[in-house]
Structures are given as structure tokens and as C-alpha cells.
Amino acid sequence: MPLDLARLPQLLPNPYVVLDTQLRIVWMNEAYLRVTMRAREDIEGREMIEAFPSDPSSESHMQLMSSLRRVLETGEADEIALIRYDIANPDGQMETRYWSATHTPILNAEGQVEHIIQHTVDVTELESLRRLRDEAGLVDRARSVQRRSRNLATVIRHYRELVEQAPGFIAVLTGPDHRFEIANSAYRKLVGRRGVIGKSVAEALPEVVEQGFTDLLDEVRATAKPYRGTNQQVFLGNESDDTTNERFLDFIYQPLIDPANGEVSGIFVQGHDVTEQVLALEHQTLMVNELNHRVKNTLAIVLGLAAQSFRSLPGAEANVANFNARLNALAAAHNILTERNWEETGSSSIIQGSIAASAGEDAARCFISGDEIELPAQNAVALAMIVHELTTNAIKYGALSVPDGSITIQSSRIMKGDAPVFRFVWREHGGPPVVPPERKGFGTRLIRLGFSADATSNVDIRYDPEGLICVIEGTVK
Amino acid sequence: MTDGAQGCLILILEDEPIVGLLVEDTVIDAGGEAVLACSVDAALAAIAGRRFDGAVLDINVNGDLSYPVATRLAELGVPFIFASGYGDRILPEEFASARTLTKPFAVPELQHALEAMLAPGNERTQDPD
């Protein structure tokens, strides 16, 4: 007679019960019903904890539930060497029972837990015998050892998961040839998902040897000093083809010191991939340069148009020259601002740049002193245009119109009430006697606007016979 | 008006017509004659056909760099100046000593640069190496 495999589990002398992922009882064999003193219809389809109730705060309850949960979380088998779990007998009275149980997961094709088989053995008699013989001492000790190792295993698993799921890449290298002991998910992704554990860096990632990374590791090992890489370029291969990828990394090689002998036992590698940031910054720089190039080309076209438009106009040469000079001053300010990415720019570089663009060699007779004040882009452009007008005026009528004249320019930060104020003082010396102009030209009007967009600047132009003095005070930002 | 380019033939490589006209007028006003090329290929063709006394080269011409033209001019011993809107562009080492006009430039600056370029003794000769 052929063996009926389908009936086999029912005939096995050991008790088996199968739970689904909700921990509901979906199947059990005869031996299980015998040992638990239940009928199939009483427990089938019910949650295990409902079929065999226990106080949720009791150790029995927690021990059983945490073992089942571990199987669901890890997909690995779990054992309970000894558990006291009391059950009701057919008269409804609770009986003290000791069990030993194994929980084995049944995985589906995707590797996910679908069911758990519990194999449980009633060890109450064994336990009672032991209890008598050992007067409870031995089993209690065994039980506490089990509890401690269970806690330790939980802690280790917890830390392993933390490392594995950390957003940055982490690896631990040991030995003189830097063998991978740990490499977390982010690290494996970085190196193209190649299997690295147990291999040396040179074996696992041959492409990094020539790039100097094994030398760096050797040095960290030899000197016991950490190495920190910032925006460091690396070319990494992957397991699917022969190509390499350029990445930029921020990382640290931290020597791990063995407390027993004070020597470097390994290297902790930790960092993150900053490729996106580095590329974004490069792209931004490129865009700013390109934009600046186009702005300057456009200014060149404007100059060309002006020259073409006014070349046949009698007497327009001086006006065209003024126009050219102003446009050049604007371009010079743009140059400085571009170098600083249109962020805050130092007052003295703006003043110096504008004088150099307007006065050429005569800039040597202009002396700039005082504090370096950081100015936002708009204030910086306004200041550059003011300095250009003052310089042009000095060349035509003031200190720079004679060989011995000079100009001192002082910038400082002063407090007006609670507000910090930028104070700019332009003072000409040694020029011809100053006569106030009869009408306000464009230059004067531009200077009188000051360098604040909100028109809060205080502008004082004094036509001192000794030399023109211009004082501008304004809140910046 | 200067006459610093009297009788000189100047090559202008510039993809922006209005800027090219400005340079051309400046050369003519200085007594010279100008050939305006709007691409690197056109400039190389012009050099192949005529002997120039000097050149004004935009660096970025419709996305192409004008360095091949500069190299050819240097081989022929023709002096040249660069004109560029890239203020911070680092020139290749072989042109590190070349004069560069930063755009936007005004006519007097250009006149000055042309005179300096055409001054006697300024012919570029190929390095012996």
C-alpha cells in the first residue's frame, strides 16, 4: 500500500501547528490537539493568543509573542528553549505547563514570511522532575542565561540594523590588507553592489588602488591618525559592466584602536556621497560664467551701437566717451561681483576696481583706507558707479587734473542709533581751487542718490576750495 | 583720430557683427584695412590667402575657441590680441603672454591695443623648440 504523504503530518507523534502572518491558527495535527487538550473546531481560525489566552503583562505572553514577531521580522527560525505557558484543561481550570518550542518560517517565492510552523513539546514532567531534583536552582539559572543571551542578541541585531540602514556609507576594514568585515547597504550601493565581505580592498575594488585609496588606508593604519576626505573624487566600477562612475565623497577613515594593546586593529570607513552637490555647484559656476560672458558681450554691442550711431554727429565725441566710460565702470563692477558669485563683496575691492577702470595709471594717486565692509550686490554696483563719477570729475576738474593732486578714500562702519551704517568719505587734495558747478549734471545727481536702493542714504558734497569732499552714509541691507 | 594702423591689413575674428563693425571702423579710422571673419574656419581660410599685419580675435566664436587661429598666426609671426567677455578665463599656456582686451572695451582702449600690437619689433616669431 502506497504511503499517503498528505496524511503523514496528522500521524506524526510530535505536535505541530501552523499560523498565518496575523498569528491565526490555520492548521494543526492530532498530536497538537492532544497535547493542548482542545478540539479542532475550538481553535482553528482563531488567533493563537485568543485560543490560548494569557496575561499580556506576563513573561509567558511576552516570551511567546516576541519569538513569533522575530520570525515575522527576520524570516529566520526562532527557538524558545523553555517557556511556562499555562493552558485550560477541559474543566476550564488552568494547568501549569512548561514547553519547548521552535518557530520556523515558511517563505514565499519573494522570500517573505507567509506562515510560521510551531513545533512544541510539553516538557512539564521533565521540568517537574528537574525542579524536584535541582530544587529549582539550575533551571532558574538556565532561564536567566537564556534571558540574557536573548537580550544581547536583540541589542546586536538592533545595532546591525542601524548600521545597515544608515543613510551614509559605512564599512569596517580589518588586517594589514584592509579586509571588509562590515559594509552596509549604502556602501554596497556605492561600490556597485559587488560582494565585498571577506575580501581585501584591493581584491574587492581593484580600481581604487591606482587612485591612491589603499595608500591612504596604509597610512591611517601606520600612523593611527584619521584621514578626512572632502569632495574627494573617485572612479568606482560596478558588477554589471566594465565602466566606472565618477563620484565625489565626503568621508573619514577612522583608525580603530584595540584597547588591549593600543594598536590599530582596523579602520572604520564612514561618509556620504556628495556627487549631486558637487555637480550642481560646477553647473552653477558654469552658468554664472556664461551669463556674465553674455552680459559683457551685450555691453560690447551697446558700445558698438553707440559708436556707430554717434560717429557722424559733430561734437558727440565727448558724450560718447562719457557713455563708454560709464558702461565700462558698470562692466568692471559686474566683473568683481561675478568673481564673488553675486554674493557680498568687499567695499575696497569695489572702490579700487572702479577707480582702476576709470583713472588707469592715475589710480596710483588714490589712497583707499579704513574698514572692509561687505556690501550686497545692488549697493556694490551703486557704489562703483558713484566712485566712477567722482573719479571722472576729478580727472576733468579736480585733483587728478593736475600732476600733484591726490585723493584719499575712507570707508568705515559706524553706528547710528542701533543701526550699523556704511560711511564713505572721498577727499581730494592738491587740485585747482574748487568752484561749485552751476547746474547739477547726471554725475552729481547719481552721487546724490547714494548707494541704498531705499533712498535712505545721506549724501553731503562740499565744494571746499582745498578740494572736493563727498561724504555718503547709508544703511546697507 | 589716430593713424597707428596706417597701411596695415588686420584680421578681425568676431561672431557679433556690431562688435565686428566697431573694430573694423576703428582699424579704418587708424588708416588700416580690415577683413572681418565670423567663424574660425573663415579666419583660417583668410590667413591661408593673405598676409596680415595683425589680428583681433574673439575667444569664443559661435561656441568654437579661436585658439587654432592664434596658433596659425603665431607660426606665421603675425601679432594678435584677444578680445573676450570671459574676464576670468585662463588662456592656454602658449598664449599666456598674449594681450587680452576685456569686453566691453571702449574705442580708445582698442586704438591703444592696436598701436601696441603693430609697434615695430612686436612680430611674433615661433619659439625655437
Side-chain angles (χ1 to χ4, degrees):
Chain A
M1 183 181 140
L3 179 60
D4 185 354
L5 281 175
R7 264 176 48 80
L8 189 62
Q10 287 297 356
L11 301 173
L12 289 174
N14 282 317
Y16 289 99
V17 62
V18 175
L19 309 177
D20 65 11
T21 54
Q22 307 297 312
L23 305 181
R24 279 186 302 246
I25 296 172
V26 294
W27 181 91
M28 77 293 299
N29 68 358
E30 299 295 342
Y32 186 81
L33 293 171
R34 267 198 307 278
V35 78
T36 56
M37 302 175 286
R38 294 298 173 90
R40 184 182 306 274
E41 55 273 22
D42 287 346
I43 59 172
E44 197 170 48
R46 298 175 69 187
E47 281 183 38
M48 173 162 262
I49 211 66
E50 187 195 347
F52 301 100
S54 59
D55 176 1
S57 65
S58 68
E59 193 183 340
S60 303
H61 183 100
M62 289 191 282
Q63 217 179 343
L64 175 66
M65 292 309 285
S66 67
S67 174
L68 290 169
R69 269 192 219 108
R70 273 196 297 278
V71 176
L72 288 177
E73 281 165 17
T74 64
E76 288 169 17
D78 198 85
E79 283 163 15
I80 306 176
L82 186 67
I83 176 173
R84 178 181 163 170
Y85 203 102
D86 298 349
I87 56 172
N89 64 20
D91 304 330
Q93 286 163 335
M94 295 305 280
E95 281 190 10
T96 300
R97 291 292 179 97
Y98 287 88
W99 309 86
S100 183
T102 308
H103 293 133
T104 308
I106 304 175
L107 307 179
N108 63 15
E110 281 81 48
Q112 290 155 336
V113 177
E114 277 198 338
H115 292 98
I116 299 172
I117 303 183
Q118 183 189 72
H119 170 218
T120 184
V121 179
D122 181 348
V123 295
T124 311
E125 281 182 31
L126 212 61
E127 173 71 8
S128 307
L129 282 172
R130 272 198 198 134
R131 196 167 277 250
L132 280 173
R133 194 180 63 194
D134 303 334
E135 296 175 344
L138 186 67
V139 175
D140 278 351
R141 281 201 294 282
R143 206 184 276 153
S144 72
V145 167
Q146 173 181 320
R147 197 161 46 229
R148 276 203 299 275
S149 74
R150 179 65 78 201
N151 288 342
L152 194 63
T154 306
V155 169
I156 290 173
R157 192 168 54 239
H158 181 63
Y159 279 109
R160 216 165 55 190
E161 278 163 14
L162 274 183
V163 169
E164 174 66 13
Q165 295 176 18
F169 58 79
I170 293 173
V172 173
L173 306 170
T174 55
D177 58 352
H178 317 297
R179 279 187 187 275
F180 282 98
E181 186 181 305
I182 295 173
N184 75 345
S185 164
Y187 192 94
R188 298 194 303 273
K189 181 165 175 255
L190 176 74
V191 300
R193 303 188 189 284
R194 289 173 283 186
V196 297
I197 300 297
K199 293 182 191 163
S200 71
V201 169
E203 290 162 358
L205 315 171
E207 71 274 21
V208 306
V209 176
E210 258 187 34
Q211 299 176 53
F213 287 93
T214 44
D215 292 342
L216 285 175
L217 289 166
D218 288 342
E219 196 173 322
V220 170
R221 205 178 160 79
T223 60
K225 290 205 177 87
Y227 172 84
R228 192 178 285 277
T230 305
N231 288 354
Q232 192 150 344
Q233 186 189 42
V234 60
F235 291 90
L236 287 167
N238 61 71
E239 63 183 359
S240 47
D241 55 43
D242 290 339
T243 61
T244 54
N245 272 324
E246 182 188 38
R247 309 303 300 174
F248 293 90
L249 310 176
D250 278 0
F251 67 95
I252 187 162
Y253 286 157
Q254 176 72 41
L256 296 171
I257 311 293
D258 183 347
N261 55 18
E263 286 173 12
V264 177
S265 62
I267 295 171
F268 182 71
V269 180
Q270 191 262 320
H272 47 276
D273 190 334
V274 293
T275 308
E276 308 308 322
Q277 292 95 303
V278 168
L279 293 184
L281 198 66
E282 273 179 13
H283 183 68
Q284 193 192 2
T285 308
L286 205 70
M287 294 297 285
V288 169
N289 277 345
E290 189 54 34
L291 185 65
N292 190 45
H293 175 229
R294 289 189 186 179
V295 166
K296 286 202 272 186
N297 255 349
T298 304
L299 290 176
I301 293 168
V302 172
L303 280 179
L305 283 174
Q308 295 295 329
S309 307
F310 304 121
R311 59 187 280 118
S312 55
L313 204 65
E317 277 157 25
N319 289 332
V320 172
N322 277 346
F323 174 75
N324 283 350
R326 282 173 180 147
L327 214 59
N328 272 314
L330 187 63
H334 277 213
N335 267 347
I336 294 168
L337 286 165
T338 306
E339 280 164 23
R340 304 292 303 267
N341 268 332
W342 290 81
E343 285 159 13
E344 297 209 324
T345 303
S347 54
S348 66
S349 63
I350 284 289
I351 295 168
Q352 211 151 22
S354 183
I355 292 176
S358 316
E361 287 170 8
D362 286 335
R365 292 194 277 146
C366 303
F367 303 94
I368 303 163
S369 64
D371 306 329
E372 179 80 306
I373 316 289
E374 294 293 317
L375 300 174
Q378 198 179 18
N379 299 126
V381 170
L383 177 63
M385 298 312 290
I386 289 170
V387 171
H388 167 71
E389 294 303 330
L390 287 167
T391 308
T392 312
N393 182 69
I395 292 169
K396 283 185 194 158
Y397 315 109
L400 298 182
S401 68
V402 294
D404 294 333
S406 66
I407 302 168
T408 54
I409 301 113
Q410 198 170 24
S411 49
S412 52
R413 177 190 287 275
I414 58 166
M415 294 301 288
K416 283 238 163 148
D418 289 341
V421 167
F422 173 42
R423 179 180 161 92
F424 167 89
V425 182
W426 172 282
R427 196 184 293 268
E428 298 187 20
H429 315 268
V434 172
V435 186
E438 283 172 15
R439 65 178 190 91
K440 283 182 189 168
F442 169 77
T444 312
R445 285 157 61 202
L446 186 96
I447 294 164
R448 290 209 175 276
L449 288 175
F451 38 63
S452 303
D454 53 5
T456 56
S457 286
N458 224 331
V459 182
D460 180 21
I461 304 177
R462 265 173 274 161
Y463 300 96
D464 191 305
E466 297 295 310
L468 181 130
I469 301 169
C470 175
V471 180
I472 305 175
E473 289 172 358
T475 48
V476 285
K477 242 197 354 183
Chain B
M1 222 46 63
T2 63
D3 57 357
Q6 197 64 47
C8 291
L9 180 63
I10 307 294
L11 171 70
I12 301 162
L13 174 53
E14 173 62 66
D15 61 350
E16 195 50 68
I18 294 166
V19 177
L21 289 180
L22 175 71
V23 180
E24 196 174 24
D25 283 348
T26 308
V27 169
I28 292 167
D29 286 347
E33 192 188 332
V35 171
L36 179 56
C38 295
S39 71
V40 170
D41 287 345
L44 288 171
I47 298 170
R50 298 178 76 172
R51 166 83 203 178
F52 287 91
D53 299 299
V56 180
L57 309 175
D58 186 12
I59 293 180
N60 184 336
V61 188
N62 285 323
D64 294 327
L65 295 174
S66 63
Y67 301 143
V69 179
T71 304
R72 187 73 195 115
L73 290 170
E75 285 165 2
L76 295 168
V78 177
F80 58 85
I81 49 180
F82 285 116
S84 173
Y86 288 108
D88 54 352
R89 180 183 281 281
I90 313 284
L91 286 169
E93 201 173 323
E94 52 178 320
F95 308 125
S97 61
R99 196 183 170 92
T100 303
L101 266 182
T102 306
K103 284 182 184 175
F105 48 79
V107 172
E109 282 178 78
L110 178 60
Q111 286 170 338
H112 189 70
L114 281 173
E115 276 173 37
M117 173 179 76
L118 297 170
N122 215 9
E123 291 82 9
R124 290 181 68 96
T125 49
Q126 203 178 354
D127 287 337
D129 62 343

